[in-house]
Amino acid sequence: MCGIIGYVGSQKASHVITEGLKRLEYRGYDSVGIAVRDGNSLNVKKDKGMVEEVSNSLDFVSIGGTIGLGHTRWATHGAVCKANSHPHADCKNSIILAHNGVIENFVELKHELEKKGHKFASETDSEIIAHLLEDGIKSKTMLESFLSSLKRLEGSYAIVAMTSAGEEKLFVARRNSPLVIGVGKGEMLCASDIPAMLKHTKTFVPLEEGDVAVLSRDGYNIYSLEGAEVTRKQITVDWGLDIAQKGGYPHFMLREINDQKHFINESLASDVTEGKKLIDQHSRIDIVAAGTSYHAGLMLSYLLSQTGKSAQAFIASDYSFVAKPNKDTLMVVITQSGETADVLQAMRFADKCKKLAITNTVGSSVTRLADCTILMNSGPEIGVAATKTFTSQLAVIFKLVFPKEKLSNLSQIISQMLEQEDAIKKIAPTLVAKENVFFIARGGNVPIAYEASLKFKEITYIHSEAYPGGELKHGTLSLITNGVPVIVLAPSDATLSKLFGNLKEAKARGGTILSITNDDSIKNESDFSIPLPKNIDPILYPFALIVPLQLLAYHVSVLRGINPDRPRNLAKSVTVE
Ligand code: F6R
């Protein structure tokens, strides 16, 4: 949901910011903009479109100056157009800022500012912040005005702002939207995410909720909203610059699918001791997540229920309407970004119960609301569609339930399934022109069918649905006609014989069957089949099943001319409800 970056140092800011925006683009990509201060003038270039296209056509890097800020947008308030693109300025073009988040009371503030004579150039909620600052600096310093303006905002924000006059400083703040300071030598940065700053530093300070900071070439100061100076922990990452690059693959998504064979071991190394204790201590487990992470949540609920625990997975955005957590409830939240607004809202709603978070993001908002956090350690995921973070979530979840030894050959299983890529590439053309695709599975493989279906529709724009196989006959079978693809997740486990029956039902109606199986009778009934290894522990089938289905979605997407890294209308970190 929007990426923001700020730079103050001795290098050409337009260059640093444009490069950083390319790495932040996965957070939003409908418009992009940059502002650089040169002497006492602010130069702004912005338009709708992706970073590469807009930065080339407007020649971002031609702007001189060594302090600036940039923004890549995922529209919330106002259409996708040049005027609504960030950065936004006050009436006099003397204050400029980029904002990520949603200002909930912006209508009221806008009316108030309009009455005072402020003229607005966009329909965005963000622009009001520039005008509030303008109002404030009539009688206050920029920092005082920044603090008093922030106090008036309801909602979420990560902000970077600067002025055209006075000392060259960046004013930054965060509340419910991520913002990290990058500490360089003679230069300071801030950005929504670490990879955008890796070229300049490996030392970072993740800001906490309500923090305000002032960055100059010499360093940074962090304040509370009340203006008291506070100290925050610096962290050092050992990531190479290549972690946020495609590494020779045509897309981040393909790299990330392939990287699963490595990161699965990092995730298996995560410390789940405290998490296990919390689960043991509670009689009821509510699992809360969204999208792909919800599918990982369904898996956890399935595994815990198998052990006799009372566990249920909830869609985060609906949790407050349907659940009644109490003090005996343990809430387990699963979120790779750690910033998903729906999840944060559910955590605030469940104020009486203990919370365990499973996330990929150190210092993210969920970690602050949780009593205990398990870090997935899957490295940054740039492709908008979650792939490696899903298998990492599964690894952590399985480790919460099974002894580690049971999971030791996961990397090998994933490698084996990645070897099926050529076979999958041959199947992909048969799906390219389809309108509907169905996925079926049973038992513990159903969450994988849901996830495969989400991945497929998200990046191919082909409608797809997933069901427990037994459900087809209760309605959906009416949609299975000649040539409709039915993808059957059929490992040889306890689900096989019933699933075989469901496959036959679909086949009898003319469905084209694609199976992923290690069972010969299923394979013989299929039009296409992807082999599963024969000699693996049945509990590990979910890992083997999801990898070829991620690859299938990827290759169909590419064949349809879609960029799988940036599916339309979506963004990586969903910080609005
Ligand atoms: C789909 C996808 C999304 C996310 C969802 C939750 O490929 O990535 O469905 O899983 O937006 O995000 P997190 O895990 O960051 O809470």
Side-chain angles (χ1 to χ4, degrees):
M1 292 281 131
C2 305
I4 64 175
I5 179 162
Y7 175 81
V8 51
S10 55
Q11 300 189 43
K12 202 172 173 191
S14 57
H15 188 72
V16 177
I17 290 164
T18 306
E19 280 223 320
L21 286 172
K22 286 183 187 158
R23 292 173 197 278
L24 285 170
E25 197 171 28
Y26 70 95
R27 301 181 61 86
Y29 33 83
D30 52 43
S31 36
V32 58
I34 183 170
V36 178
R37 173 172 164 185
D38 198 4
N40 277 352
S41 69
L42 293 175
N43 295 308
V44 182
K45 294 192 179 200
K46 60 182 188 175
D47 209 344
K48 65 175 181 183
M50 291 200 174
V51 178
E52 188 75 34
E53 151 200 353
V54 177
S55 63
N56 284 340
S57 69
L58 299 182
D59 203 7
F60 277 11
V61 292
S62 65
I63 317 177
T66 52
I67 177 169
L69 52 92
H71 184 275
T72 175
R73 180 171 186 238
W74 187 89
T76 54
H77 290 73
V80 177
C81 63
K82 182 175 173 177
N84 290 340
S85 312
H86 297 224
H88 292 290
D90 65 332
C91 299
K92 297 197 229 58
N93 253 331
S94 59
I95 298 169
I96 192 111
L97 60 82
H99 163 232
N100 168 27
V102 173
I103 305 304
E104 286 160 9
N105 57 338
F106 97 99
V107 176
E108 171 193 327
L109 290 172
K110 192 170 179 176
H111 284 157
E112 177 189 317
L113 289 158
E114 275 170 341
K115 272 193 209 144
K116 289 184 175 175
H118 289 264
K119 296 274 178 286
F120 287 81
S122 78
E123 304 158 287
T124 64
D125 53 343
S126 312
E127 192 188 342
I128 58 123
I129 309 167
H131 294 271
L132 275 178
L133 287 169
E134 179 185 14
D135 228 37
I137 54 165
K138 285 178 191 154
S139 56
K140 301 180 185 118
T141 64
M142 176 63 180
L143 177 58
E144 285 164 354
S145 169
F146 198 46
L147 291 167
S148 59
S149 302
L150 293 171
K151 281 192 198 145
R152 302 222 42 211
L153 304 180
E154 285 166 22
S156 58
Y157 55 73
I159 301 171
V160 52
M162 64 180 178
T163 53
S164 63
E167 285 178 274
E168 292 198 332
K169 288 183 174 172
L170 294 175
F171 295 82
V172 308
R174 80 156 275 173
R175 188 207 285 162
N176 291 335
S177 277
L179 196 66
V180 182
I181 296 176
V183 185
K185 291 198 175 70
E187 57 184 7
M188 296 292 301
L189 299 100
C190 64
S192 311
D193 215 342
I194 287 174
M197 301 182 275
L198 274 180
K199 203 167 174 189
H200 302 268
T201 180
K202 297 209 165 166
T203 306
F204 301 97
V205 183
L207 289 180
E208 296 190 6
E209 291 310 326
D211 281 355
V212 178
V214 181
L215 316 185
S216 67
R217 289 179 183 87
D218 309 324
Y220 64 91
N221 297 83
I222 306 180
Y223 306 92
S224 70
L225 261 187
E226 304 313 318
E229 204 159 338
V230 292
T231 315
R232 298 289 177 234
K233 220 170 105 190
Q234 286 196 353
I235 57 164
T236 310
V237 300
D238 59 3
W239 300 341
L241 195 56
D242 75 311
I243 197 130
Q245 287 170 350
K246 290 180 194 156
Y249 290 96
H251 296 101
F252 284 110
M253 183 179 179
L254 191 57
R255 176 189 172 160
E256 286 157 4
I257 292 173
N258 277 277
D259 276 355
Q260 292 178 111
K261 58 181 180 284
H262 306 302
F263 282 107
I264 202 80
N265 289 331
E266 303 288 323
S267 304
L268 283 175
S270 58
D271 185 357
V272 299
T273 329
E274 291 306 310
K276 266 189 170 183
K277 270 192 213 153
L278 277 173
I279 290 175
D280 288 345
Q281 285 160 2
H282 288 82
S283 57
R284 174 183 150 185
I285 316 289
D286 283 4
I287 303 154
V288 175
T292 290
S293 300
Y294 170 70
H295 301 143
L298 284 174
M299 185 63 80
L300 178 59
S301 123
Y302 167 80
L303 295 179
L304 289 175
S305 305
Q306 295 287 301
T307 67
K309 266 268 174 231
S310 165
Q312 192 179 345
F314 294 88
I315 302 258
S317 55
D318 240 30
Y319 186 71
S320 62
F321 299 114
V322 295
K324 294 238 175 306
N326 57 41
K327 59 179 181 25
D328 299 321
T329 309
L330 172 69
M331 175 186 257
V332 180
V333 299
I334 307 174
T335 163
Q336 80 80 22
S337 65
E339 301 292 349
T340 299
D342 292 335
V343 173
L344 294 171
Q345 194 273 338
M347 289 175 94
R348 288 188 200 103
F349 166 77
D351 53 353
K352 288 191 189 60
C353 62
K354 284 248 188 253
K355 296 171 196 80
L356 165 65
I358 300 173
T359 184
N360 198 29
T361 315
V362 189
S364 55
S365 301
V366 291
T367 64
R368 280 184 262 280
L369 294 179
D371 299 280
C372 170
T373 296
I374 303 175
L375 287 171
M376 287 147 52
N377 300 325
S378 33
E381 187 175 64
I382 311 290
V384 161
T387 51
K388 67 172 179 171
T389 54
F390 178 65
T391 44
S392 283
Q393 286 169 343
L394 291 188
V396 168
I397 283 164
F398 274 64
K399 199 175 167 191
L400 280 170
V401 178
F402 296 109
K404 199 181 163 197
E405 307 73 65
K406 280 232 168 223
L407 312 172
S408 56
N409 62 345
L410 274 180
S411 169
Q412 198 193 329
I413 291 169
I414 290 175
S415 299
Q416 265 177 283
M417 295 315 293
L418 288 169
E419 283 165 18
Q420 297 300 323
E421 186 171 0
D422 283 343
I424 293 160
K425 265 185 174 165
K426 288 192 187 120
I427 296 170
T430 65
L431 299 176
V432 165
K434 298 290 180 188
E435 285 184 5
N436 300 293
V437 174
F438 294 91
F439 293 77
I440 56 169
R442 278 183 175 246
N445 304 319
V446 172
I448 302 299
Y450 290 148
E451 171 56 12
S453 170
L454 175 64
K455 213 84 321 176
F456 195 82
K457 73 180 79 156
E458 174 179 24
I459 61 167
T460 66
Y461 311 159
I462 296 173
H463 169 246
S464 76
E465 287 178 40
Y467 292 97
E471 270 299 282
L472 281 189
K473 60 184 178 292
H474 296 293
T476 308
L477 212 47
S478 66
L479 297 175
I480 311 292
T481 54
N482 251 350
V484 172
V486 180
I487 300 180
V488 188
L489 285 63
S492 74
D493 60 14
T495 66
L496 195 74
S497 60
K498 290 253 167 38
L499 201 56
F500 185 75
N502 304 139
L503 180 160
K504 295 285 276 181
E505 285 160 9
K507 199 172 169 176
R509 273 79 188 174
T512 299
I513 308 297
L514 162 58
S515 63
I516 305 176
T517 191
N518 46 6
D519 177 82
D520 287 340
S521 52
I522 295 266
K523 184 179 165 201
N524 293 339
E525 290 290 340
S526 306
D527 297 281
F528 304 96
S529 194
I530 297 165
L532 278 176
K534 284 223 172 223
N535 49 354
I536 66 172
D537 185 334
I539 64 159
L540 303 183
Y541 281 134
F543 294 89
L545 288 166
I546 192 58
V547 173
L549 293 170
Q550 293 168 339
L551 285 169
L552 184 67
Y554 171 81
H555 283 293
V556 175
S557 170
V558 171
L559 283 177
R560 283 169 65 86
I562 295 164
N563 177 354
D565 284 344
R566 287 169 203 154
R568 68 183 174 211
N569 304 341
L570 301 177
K572 186 81 190 154
S573 177
V574 187
T575 50
V576 291
E577 282 174 44

